[in-house]
Amino acid sequence: MRKPFSKEFFNKGRMLNPWLMILPAFLILLVFNIFPLLWSLGISFYRFSVIIREAPRYVGGLNYINVITSAEAWDRIIRTGIYLAYALSLQFGLGLLLSLLLFEDFKGKRMLITLFTIPLMIAPVASSLFFRYLFDENLGPVNNFLKSIAGYGPLWFSSNMSPLGIPYALLTVVLVETWIWTPFVMFLLTAGMSSIPQDLIEQSRVDSIKFRHKFRYVILPYIKPMIALALIFRFMDSLKTFDSIYILTAGGPGATTELISVYIYRVAFERWDFGSATALSYLILVIVIFMTNVFMRYILGGERS
Amino acid sequence: MRKRNQYTTPLVLYRVRKSLKFALLIALLAIYLIPIYGMFSLAFKPRAEIYSGLFELTRVTLENFEEAYRYGAYSAITNSIIVTVGGVAIALVLAVLASYAFSRFAVKGKNILMFYILSTRMMPPITLIIPIFIMFFNVGLKGTYLGLILVYAMMSLPLSIWMIKSFIDDIPKDIDQAALVDGHSTMFILFKIIIPMVIPGIAASAAFAAIMLWNEFLFALLLSGVDTKPTSVLLSSIRGERGFNWGRVAAIEVVYILPIIILVFWLQKYMLRGLTFGTVRR
Amino acid sequence: MGKDEYIIQVEKIAKTYNGRRVLNDISFALRRGELLAILGPPGSGKTTLLKIIAGLIKQDAGDVIINGRIVNDLPPYERGVSLVFETLALYPNMSVYENIASPLIAEKKDKEYIDRRVGEISRLLKIEHILGRKADKLSGGERQRVAIARALAKEAEIYLLDEPLSNLDAKIRYALRTEFKKLKSLLGKTIILATSDPSDALALGDKVMLLFNGAVIQEGPPIDIYYAPRNISIARYLTGNILNEVSISIDSYGKSVSMDVGQEFSIDPYFLKVLREVGETSITLASYADGCIVDKSVESCSGIKVAGEFIGYEYRGSEYLVYARKGERVFRSLRASLPNVTFGERVEVCIPHTNALLFSGKTGSLIR
Amino acid sequence: MVSIKLVDISKTFGSVEALKDVSLEIRDGELFAILGPSGCGKTTLLRIVAGLEKPTKGRVYFDDIDVTNIPAEIRDVSMVFQFYALYPTTVFNNIALPLKSKGYSRIDIEKRVKEIAELVGIGKALNLHIDKLNIADKQKVALARAMAKEPQVYLFDEPLTILDPVTRVIMRSELKKLQHRLKQTMIYVTHDQIEALTLADRIAVMNFGVVEQVGTSWDVYNLPNTTFVGWFLGEPGMNFVEIAVDKDDLSINIGSKKIFRDPSLGKKLLDLGLEKALLGFRAENVVLVKEVPGVHDPNSIVIDGIIRVIEFFGTHYVVNVETEGSEFKVKLSVSEFNKLMLGENDKVKALVRVDKVCFFNLDNNRRVL
């Protein structure tokens, strides 16, 4: 048998203090997570900019007041809300449809599920960039196709209103994000469905009950927790949406697709106003921590029982 | 010809319904996979045929890959490998130790610590980026591999700890106790008994962390330098150019996502844990 | 050490979890070579008690004394005990050989010794042919044997076995029980065995200790436990909660007698005298299934006879177990054939006084 | 109301052969039990009859109609599962849902549900949510749901296992009564021999995907076709001891000891080509004595042995006797045991009447006599 440590290390009965095992990981988190978090809390109370090279100046809660009273910030928050409503309902609608189609067992089901999960795992940067090609307004395959059947291809990256009530550029972001994330919803719901007792599924088959009864009495009770879980995950991750927007539209045209995370990024790294940016991100963080708390209670509560 | 009986009509109806459902599923899958297919076919298309239609592939050529190489894709991929492997390696070692302690010992404040670790998954990275940016700027870590590797280690630690812990939790504590009665030491139990049992789980956790880091964009954008820029940043920089070469982009993307696609097939079994951070097991 | 000295003494062990008392002043002592069966329902504290003896859980109070030495503060591997877990806790990624060798490796024994010892033990347990197999590729019975083999590999003073026969098919369980008893007399080891199955405890134990809700309620040889259960809950437990029971009330003058099974009953005069002599106004009379007669009519009954309704039966190939009911009371009788009645018909139930156990109606403790 | 015919059914899962060429005929209106240890393929067989699983090979017939390819949804059978598999809604809905999809009118459904619920004894619980019921009532709901739709066949997958023993006995009687009244074909899968022996008109005993024997309770217990059936039924199972026939005097021997001298039996075995065979007998059919009385019943086999292990089971003792390297069990009542005053390592003689023994071929474990 190979021994990775000296004999002394394996000495009989030598117990290790559990804190010693946690410490290294904790140190990394301390330096690169806890410390920056506290620091950024500090920054949010200063007027602070690297570019102007002036010394940071303590301004108290001014940054927070500025952010809360800023029409611009509220505009971005509302945009984010609209985006969330569209993206999440599309992702959940399609995800549910897919998982229902995948409910019954058939040969190759696992393979199909795997294929569906590919978009989820590849870099949003890569897929978004490719969607720029697909949705290219003049020569892209999507518009080529639309023109050949409908004679018209919309300007996918413009601020023109789409028939769905949001500008085309935002719609494009929603569609791309839906492409990426629908499999996530599908996957969680499918997992929830696999927790339905086999007996109950078979009973419903032998009884040959109607689909709507099957959905209500057999499927829904078992996927409820997964729906909640997926909703919380998707809500919090959608707040973070950055990569795809940055690549697809960079927030434009104008501020059409400038959602909250892109907005903070621009305040910080284009206007170099670190104070306002950290203040705003702290407000978001508070929401997220609150949600995480709810989530933890849900998950860990369920796990205990 | 089979005799008509009570089953004939219902059977026909049953089969029609089933076929329709299957057709719809296949149609959706097709819509789903067309972009991926398009990416691959574009990468192998001659430059002149780029806008010729998604499904047409008259001649296969590698010229796009040559172009990509000249464009610097090779060094970007190398950079991606360095920071990903570096970040995952550090995180993995630390996570295995920590998750065993979390799983097996009554550490004071364990729940709070685990909660905090999970909450980092939910934190918008934008909250952290500003102080880290300033910190790296001042310490001179900006633009270095080490800087990005350390940040990446921090980023993948929570996923690794939660996921590996979920695997260790699945091992009955009786196994540890049996080893204790046999007379083995803590380190023997961890390295010779527990870890060998969760090797597949640890590998899967590492793979998920690697995918996360491989795909990471925001930190890479702000913290990498000209020479240390990973693939995601290279791809994003193409965005700013006018009338750029789509064949070349597709070629870089194919090289960039191919390893992930291969991993996805292996990771299927662990997908649920990976997606839910190990909080849901299957 | 003399033969009469105890090899293990457990004195007033107590343990509380989250405010719940799981063990309450447990004491017992055992001589070398004895087998103690701890019998109790799931959750009665058996596993906790074994783990306290093994040193895996620390007791709140009381002492564990092994070979005359108090071992309370010793870690598990210095106590000279070996434990077979209910879950077996085999190391699934190791081979059967490595599993059995594990305690020997921890003791840093040389290769030759380990080889010899593993060989010996695997022959004893008839698992030589699977030594090379991985532990997660075994059948239930094989896993059980490997776990016992690993425990035996360690030279221990006391072997602790937690539900060693649970999770097995009834048939394999039956066979393994006999084999286990043979093994026990062959090795002459001191064994403490926890089980929730009365058959295991009665068939295997030299002594049986009943553990209910963390407290010892009776201790003694199997036959004493079975024929003189200290209180009625023990008798109920031994029969899987289908003891034949009747409540009898006798007024203080000993004149009028009534039962909870209605008006239709008769008592043999001699037995009535016995009941009166007890001097209690309320008595619960009980019998096991083999001490009860159920038939269309029982002509002479030397005990008590009540009327009931035939509700069903079990055919066991060699015999019938006939079920009758009167009100809430259910009676079972072992018979060679079925009574000539159909479901729902009236039958007579007779419990002869020779087979009757009498318990106090108030305290439930055994009178006779 | 159908008879069911299974012809050469095989089923493989990956590389595992769950069923191997199973052929059975289940008569119209009979209660047929399939008995076997876990993993013997009995549940798979039931699921094939239900249409939940397709056989890899072979056909299923309901009367004369080939239903092999008819899915469960339209096969028109009822199934009751071990864990009752109720829908999380009211009792009424549970019974009514299958009827709704059968196209019954609202009034019909209401009437029928009430009728059946009354019959099974849950009439008062119709509007309760199933969470409010105890296990026995839940199983009754499952039974009522199965009955309401008037299927061609009832399929039971260990429906009584989770009930407490007394309720189980009562439910068993109820089921038997019901079966007498409905005269419906029922297939009952169980691993519990008592359940099968008590309930069934006929039993199929299965092992490793093969039907070892089909017969009445008495047949399978007393005349097992194979050593497996003998071992599986009874507690303890049948004893098997290897014997040899002496070619010269046609006596029967265990090792070097003669146990039976009547030449006719030895001749029978030799005529079957068996010099060696397995002697099978049940533990409760053995009479144990310390000394054989001078003249004993010539129709008894006498085996000398030594007591190795004594096990006390409350209602009886089981004594393990060793003879010439083999071992057998003897079941004794407590009074018999006490009379004999037996102890471990005592020498005893075991007497078994020759009409209570079976002989099995050593090579294929099948019964020959």
Side-chain angles (χ1 to χ4, degrees):
Chain A
M1 242 189 241
R2 195 174 50 86
K3 291 210 166 159
F5 293 97
S6 69
K7 267 206 157 109
E8 177 57 26
F9 201 59
F10 277 131
N11 238 351
K12 188 167 164 176
R14 176 157 167 179
M15 312 276 247
L16 213 68
N17 187 334
W19 269 108
L20 232 56
M21 294 193 237
I22 298 172
L23 196 66
F26 187 71
L27 276 180
I28 291 266
L29 288 171
L30 187 74
V31 175
F32 294 102
N33 194 284
I34 298 176
F35 174 62
L37 270 183
L38 294 176
W39 192 356
S40 83
L41 183 64
I43 294 172
S44 70
F45 292 102
Y46 281 84
R47 191 174 151 68
F48 190 104
S49 173
V50 260
I51 293 305
I52 309 167
R53 292 226 167 269
E54 64 177 3
R57 188 156 44 90
Y58 181 74
V59 291
L62 193 64
N63 287 327
Y64 287 90
I65 293 167
N66 282 345
V67 164
I68 288 168
T69 56
S70 149
E72 196 183 67
W74 276 108
D75 174 70
R76 305 304 185 263
I77 288 169
I78 290 164
R79 254 173 233 286
T80 308
I82 293 169
Y83 162 78
L84 281 175
Y86 274 82
L88 292 194
S89 44
L90 258 179
Q91 288 166 22
F92 273 81
L94 269 175
L96 182 63
L97 175 66
L98 272 177
S99 60
L100 286 174
L101 288 174
L102 287 164
F103 178 61
E104 271 166 43
D105 281 330
F106 53 86
K107 246 200 189 122
K109 176 172 154 179
R110 283 185 69 90
M111 188 55 158
L112 273 189
I113 292 178
T114 308
L115 288 173
F116 271 116
T117 46
I118 290 174
L120 200 53
M121 304 307 277
I122 62 179
V125 173
S127 42
S128 305
L129 195 56
F130 192 72
F131 272 104
R132 289 244 310 184
Y133 162 77
L134 289 177
F135 283 102
D136 189 287
E137 287 152 352
N138 302 315
L139 297 162
V142 172
N143 273 6
N144 264 344
F145 177 70
L146 286 178
K147 278 173 192 161
S148 72
I149 59 161
Y152 166 78
L155 300 173
W156 290 104
F157 297 100
S158 69
S159 56
N160 298 355
M161 224 11 132
S162 75
L164 289 179
I166 49 173
Y168 269 112
L170 192 57
L171 179 64
T172 305
V173 171
V174 167
L175 288 179
V176 171
E177 282 280 304
T178 301
W179 184 80
I180 296 175
W181 289 106
T182 298
F184 178 83
V185 178
M186 173 215 76
F187 200 89
L188 257 60
L189 296 190
T190 306
M193 287 177 195
S194 68
S195 72
I196 304 173
Q198 197 60 29
D199 283 4
L200 194 60
I201 296 175
E202 291 179 348
Q203 183 73 54
S204 73
R205 286 184 60 195
V206 173
D207 286 350
S208 193
I209 62 174
K210 288 181 172 154
F211 175 76
R212 76 189 142 92
H213 293 143
K214 197 173 190 165
F215 182 72
R216 185 163 157 205
Y217 297 123
V218 178
I219 299 174
L220 196 60
Y222 290 91
I223 60 171
K224 265 186 192 159
M226 281 301 186
I227 292 177
L229 189 68
L231 205 62
I232 292 164
F233 265 111
R234 285 310 306 129
F235 176 77
M236 293 201 283
D237 285 348
S238 297
L239 275 182
K240 294 196 281 188
T241 312
F242 178 83
D243 302 8
S244 55
I245 301 175
Y246 187 88
I247 300 290
L248 282 168
T249 64
T256 312
T257 56
E258 197 171 284
L259 304 188
I260 195 75
S261 54
V262 180
Y263 176 65
I264 296 175
Y265 174 82
R266 289 181 78 172
V267 171
F269 297 103
E270 283 175 20
R271 295 186 203 161
W272 299 104
D273 180 359
F274 282 0
S276 301
T278 47
L280 192 52
S281 69
Y282 246 88
L283 289 178
I284 302 294
L285 188 64
V286 169
I287 297 173
V288 166
I289 286 183
F290 174 74
M291 292 290 294
T292 314
N293 211 338
V294 173
F295 162 73
M296 284 286 283
R297 211 161 291 164
Y298 197 88
I299 291 302
L300 294 185
E303 201 182 28
R304 292 279 140 75
S305 62
Chain B
M1 228 338 248
R2 216 180 27 188
K3 197 170 52 175
R4 272 189 78 83
N5 58 44
Q6 50 171 321
Y7 294 120
T8 312
T9 321
L11 189 60
V12 169
L13 286 174
Y14 176 84
R15 292 209 168 131
V16 167
R17 247 200 332 261
K18 205 147 195 186
S19 316
L20 283 178
K21 268 196 327 204
F22 200 67
L24 180 58
L25 185 63
I26 295 302
L28 282 168
L29 182 71
I31 293 174
Y32 241 80
L33 292 186
I34 282 171
I36 308 238
Y37 165 79
M39 201 182 281
F40 277 79
S41 81
L42 188 58
F44 292 97
K45 263 183 201 174
R47 186 153 193 186
E49 295 172 21
I50 277 173
Y51 288 106
S52 66
L54 214 49
F55 297 99
E56 284 158 45
L57 185 60
T58 47
R59 190 165 62 85
V60 172
T61 167
L62 290 178
E63 62 187 50
N64 292 322
F65 290 91
E66 285 159 23
E67 275 247 17
Y69 179 80
R70 278 198 293 279
Y71 191 72
Y74 176 76
S75 76
I77 293 281
T78 314
N79 291 339
S80 282
I81 293 173
I82 291 172
V83 291
T84 301
V85 170
V88 170
I90 295 177
L92 207 59
V93 174
L94 306 187
V96 166
L97 285 171
S99 49
Y100 181 66
F102 278 128
S103 174
R104 289 304 199 248
F105 298 102
V107 181
K108 254 201 187 118
K110 179 161 99 176
N111 286 342
I112 296 171
L113 217 54
M114 284 303 280
F115 169 72
Y116 152 70
I117 290 174
L118 181 65
S119 72
T120 58
R121 155 71 174 76
M122 310 300 180
M123 271 175 211
I126 205 89
T127 322
L128 288 179
I129 193 91
I130 294 165
I132 290 180
F133 182 79
I134 300 170
M135 184 160 90
F136 277 25
F137 207 82
N138 291 338
V139 187
L141 276 174
K142 191 183 172 310
T144 65
Y145 287 126
L146 181 65
L148 211 49
I149 287 175
L150 286 172
V151 170
Y152 276 6
M154 176 276 288
M155 282 177 69
S156 49
L157 255 179
L159 173 79
S160 304
I161 291 178
W162 266 85
M163 230 177 128
I164 295 174
K165 177 178 176 286
S166 84
F167 282 104
I168 296 180
D169 282 347
D170 287 352
I171 301 176
K173 282 196 179 121
D174 278 0
I175 299 255
D176 300 51
Q177 297 196 340
L180 214 56
V181 174
D182 283 352
H184 296 300
S185 69
T186 311
M187 280 297 120
F188 185 96
I189 295 171
L190 175 58
F191 282 96
K192 289 288 177 62
I193 293 172
I194 301 296
I195 290 183
M197 285 173 73
V198 289
I199 284 281
I202 292 177
S205 313
F208 275 105
I211 290 174
M212 179 174 85
L213 300 185
W214 184 260
N215 293 347
E216 205 284 329
F217 173 56
L218 183 60
F219 280 88
L221 177 68
L222 290 165
L223 300 181
S224 66
V226 184
D227 300 329
T228 57
K229 145 172 87 179
T231 322
S232 57
V233 180
L234 178 80
L235 282 173
S236 81
S237 66
I238 296 175
R239 197 195 71 93
E241 297 172 13
R242 281 195 75 79
F244 52 91
N245 179 349
W246 279 114
R248 186 177 67 201
V249 171
I252 301 174
E253 288 184 331
V254 163
V255 177
Y256 185 39
I257 69 171
L258 195 61
I260 307 270
I261 293 180
I262 293 166
L263 270 185
V264 166
F265 283 88
W266 172 59
L267 283 174
Q268 192 57 39
K269 215 171 105 191
Y270 306 102
M271 193 61 82
L272 187 63
R273 289 204 210 215
L275 293 181
T276 60
F277 229 58
T279 48
V280 179
R281 289 158 202 179
R282 182 58 39 81
Chain C
M1 198 183 70
K3 205 173 177 317
D4 284 347
E5 276 173 57
Y6 293 119
I7 183 147
I8 177 168
Q9 287 159 274
V10 164
E11 281 176 5
K12 296 200 172 235
I13 291 281
K15 177 77 191 172
T16 303
Y17 271 131
N18 305 326
R20 203 176 76 85
R21 196 103 162 140
V22 288
L23 287 178
N24 205 350
D25 288 343
I26 309 289
S27 302
F28 65 84
L30 215 56
R31 286 179 225 283
R32 191 177 290 277
E34 279 188 319
L35 190 149
L36 173 73
I38 302 176
L39 173 64
S44 56
K46 302 184 298 290
T47 299
T48 310
L49 180 57
L50 290 192
K51 285 193 172 173
I52 284 173
I53 296 171
L56 291 167
I57 295 175
K58 189 134 183 55
Q59 67 268 37
D60 298 338
D63 295 321
V64 177
I65 302 161
I66 295 176
N67 250 340
R69 187 162 72 130
I70 295 184
V71 295
N72 293 351
D73 295 323
L74 289 184
Y77 41 85
E78 285 172 18
R79 292 189 174 200
V81 297
S82 201
L83 173 62
V84 176
F85 291 78
E86 183 178 3
T87 55
L88 304 185
L90 297 180
Y91 312 130
N93 54 313
M94 293 188 189
S95 68
V96 169
Y97 180 96
E98 287 171 306
N99 265 282
I100 302 173
S102 164
L104 307 172
I105 291 170
E107 285 167 15
K108 305 230 170 2
K109 296 281 203 273
D110 60 62
K111 181 97 182 56
E112 208 180 311
Y113 176 85
I114 294 178
D115 258 350
R116 206 178 58 234
R117 183 124 180 96
V118 172
E120 267 168 35
I121 287 165
S122 55
R123 257 195 305 286
L124 195 66
L125 283 153
K126 299 178 197 141
I127 46 173
E128 310 130 277
H129 59 292
I130 55 166
L131 280 181
R133 248 194 279 165
K134 264 183 73 182
D136 56 357
K137 301 265 185 300
L138 304 176
S139 71
E142 288 168 341
R143 282 160 45 77
Q144 208 83 34
R145 283 161 200 266
V146 174
I148 294 172
R150 181 177 65 187
L152 288 178
K154 190 173 167 180
E155 294 275 10
E157 298 277 7
I158 298 149
Y159 293 85
L160 308 170
L161 291 94
D162 195 2
E163 300 271 10
L165 298 174
S166 66
N167 307 320
L168 287 176
D169 254 18
K171 280 278 143 183
I172 296 168
R173 196 185 165 100
Y174 207 99
L176 210 59
R177 186 156 48 208
T178 310
E179 230 178 277
F180 189 82
K181 187 146 190 185
K182 237 188 272 174
L183 195 69
K184 182 235 150 195
S185 50
L186 193 69
L187 296 173
K189 304 276 190 192
T190 311
I191 296 171
I192 301 176
L193 175 148
T195 178
S196 55
D197 182 347
S199 311
D200 287 349
L202 294 178
L204 289 172
D206 296 321
K207 265 201 259 176
V208 176
M209 181 171 103
L210 275 141
L211 195 65
F212 279 21
N213 294 322
V216 177
I217 53 171
Q218 190 171 359
E219 199 191 336
I223 295 188
D224 289 5
I225 301 278
Y226 191 77
Y227 289 110
R230 186 172 291 166
N231 66 43
I232 195 160
S233 55
I234 298 174
R236 283 180 187 144
Y237 184 67
L238 293 178
T239 55
N241 273 332
I242 24 188
L243 187 66
N244 301 325
E245 283 178 50
V246 177
S247 282
I248 305 172
S249 311
I250 304 174
D251 69 2
S252 42
Y253 304 105
K255 287 221 172 100
S256 86
V257 178
S258 64
M259 288 193 213
D260 68 341
V261 286
Q263 299 299 313
E264 206 181 330
F265 64 84
S266 64
I267 301 184
D268 177 64
Y270 166 74
F271 190 44
L272 184 61
K273 209 177 114 217
V274 173
L275 288 178
R276 283 190 176 133
E277 278 163 8
V278 167
E280 292 226 20
T281 54
S282 149
I283 297 170
T284 305
L285 180 145
S287 93
Y288 297 122
D290 54 341
C292 174
I293 303 160
V294 171
D295 210 335
K296 193 160 186 178
S297 65
V298 184
E299 290 310 322
S300 61
C301 177
S302 66
I304 64 150
K305 186 163 86 175
V306 300
E309 166 202 3
F310 175 54
I311 54 166
Y313 67 92
E314 283 176 7
Y315 176 43
R316 299 175 165 233
S318 56
E319 61 211 356
Y320 290 88
L321 199 51
V322 176
Y323 285 69
R325 181 168 63 183
K326 177 69 191 183
E328 293 290 292
R329 298 293 192 200
V330 173
F331 301 95
R332 295 193 306 168
S333 165
L334 265 181
R335 293 174 50 109
S337 62
L338 277 182
N340 189 19
V341 284
T342 54
F343 297 132
E345 246 183 273
R346 181 183 181 279
V347 283
E348 289 183 343
V349 180
C350 166
I351 300 176
H353 68 84
T354 43
N355 299 327
L357 295 164
L358 299 182
F359 297 96
S360 156
K362 282 193 214 82
T363 61
S365 53
L366 184 72
I367 302 167
R368 195 204 77 166
Chain D
M1 282 267 258
V2 288
S3 64
I4 297 166
K5 203 158 66 184
L6 304 176
V7 183
D8 288 336
I9 301 277
S10 292
K11 176 78 186 174
T12 48
F13 296 103
S15 61
V16 184
E17 251 192 308
L19 294 172
K20 290 170 216 161
D21 292 323
V22 172
S23 294
L24 284 176
E25 258 184 78
I26 293 143
R27 296 171 196 148
D28 187 358
E30 97 176 309
L31 204 167
F32 190 87
I34 304 176
L35 172 69
S38 55
C40 72
K42 55 187 190 297
T43 302
T44 309
L45 195 60
L46 190 75
R47 289 160 50 81
I48 285 174
V49 177
L52 292 165
E53 205 92 64
K54 258 190 200 170
T56 318
K57 188 179 113 304
R59 318 297 308 171
V60 182
Y61 297 93
F62 282 9
D63 285 337
D64 287 327
I65 303 170
D66 183 345
V67 295
T68 317
N69 290 316
I70 307 292
E73 283 86 343
I74 56 175
R75 200 176 276 198
D76 193 26
V77 299
S78 272
M79 199 152 169
V80 180
F81 289 88
Q82 181 174 1
F83 296 102
Y84 37 76
L86 296 180
Y87 308 116
T89 171
T90 60
V91 172
F92 181 89
N93 273 344
N94 262 285
I95 306 174
L97 285 179
L99 300 178
K100 281 186 185 161
S101 43
K102 262 199 156 183
Y104 282 50
S105 75
R106 185 180 283 269
I107 302 158
D108 280 352
I109 290 176
E110 206 138 309
K111 202 173 123 229
R112 182 142 187 81
V113 171
K114 277 204 184 114
E115 221 175 83
I116 302 280
E118 219 48 71
L119 186 72
V120 179
I122 43 165
K124 293 200 182 69
L126 274 181
N127 292 320
L128 290 181
H129 193 277
I130 52 138
D131 289 349
K132 300 263 187 305
L133 304 182
N134 62 30
I135 296 177
D137 284 347
K138 279 181 183 171
Q139 203 53 276
K140 283 181 187 166
V141 175
L143 200 61
R145 179 176 58 188
M147 289 166 63
K149 84 181 226 197
E150 296 181 299
Q152 308 192 64
V153 192
Y154 288 82
L155 306 174
F156 297 102
D157 191 359
E158 314 221 5
L160 306 182
T161 313
I162 52 167
L163 302 175
D164 71 273
V166 174
T167 317
R168 198 155 60 206
V169 166
I170 296 170
M171 289 286 279
R172 239 182 248 148
S173 313
E174 293 294 324
L175 202 63
K176 256 197 142 148
K177 275 197 261 178
L178 203 69
Q179 204 253 345
H180 279 295
R181 186 161 55 192
L182 298 174
K183 294 265 184 303
Q184 287 279 22
T185 312
M186 298 182 176
I187 305 182
Y188 194 104
V189 158
T190 180
H191 73 276
D192 179 358
Q193 44 168 307
I194 294 171
E195 193 121 307
L197 290 173
T198 307
L199 259 179
D201 295 324
R202 288 193 306 149
I203 301 172
V205 183
M206 287 186 69
N207 189 31
F208 289 124
V210 173
V211 173
E212 300 254 337
Q213 184 169 5
V214 180
T216 61
S217 299
W218 195 90
D219 282 345
V220 291
Y221 187 81
N222 294 292
L223 293 172
N225 271 356
T226 62
T227 49
F228 170 79
V229 176
W231 170 80
F232 187 71
L233 291 166
E235 186 153 294
M238 195 175 246
N239 291 308
F240 299 102
V241 180
E242 196 181 319
I243 53 115
V245 183
D246 189 320
K247 275 188 182 160
D248 299 329
D249 64 0
L250 297 176
S251 64
I252 302 214
N253 303 281
I254 295 177
S256 58
K257 285 184 194 155
K258 284 200 184 344
I259 59 164
F260 195 64
R261 288 172 194 282
D262 186 349
S264 63
L265 186 61
K267 186 161 182 315
K268 258 191 227 166
L269 285 168
L270 280 184
D271 286 349
L272 288 161
L274 299 171
E275 282 172 38
K276 286 184 171 181
L278 274 181
L279 169 72
F281 55 93
R282 295 227 166 255
E284 66 270 15
N285 292 336
V286 184
V287 176
L288 218 52
V289 289
K290 285 203 158 164
E291 268 317 311
V292 181
V295 188
H296 69 271
D297 180 6
N299 285 326
S300 282
I301 289 174
V302 184
I303 309 172
D304 291 307
I306 295 172
I307 293 179
R308 282 296 172 223
V309 173
I310 297 172
E311 290 160 295
F312 175 55
F313 285 95
T315 54
H316 62 272
Y317 281 89
V318 171
V319 176
N320 290 265
V321 181
E322 191 187 296
T323 175
E324 301 271 315
S326 29
E327 217 170 278
F328 58 90
K329 289 174 189 289
V330 182
K331 192 171 168 183
L332 295 172
S333 72
V334 175
S335 56
E336 278 174 285
F337 180 86
N338 289 339
K339 224 185 304 170
L340 285 166
M341 298 204 294
L342 299 172
E344 282 177 12
N345 297 323
D346 283 1
K347 283 191 177 154
V348 287
K349 287 179 190 298
L351 279 68
V352 196
R353 280 175 56 87
V354 76
D355 55 352
K356 299 270 189 195
V357 301
C358 312
F359 289 92
F360 296 85
N361 185 329
L362 261 172
D363 299 324
N364 59 15
N365 291 322
R366 304 202 134 265
R367 182 165 54 85
V368 288
L369 280 178

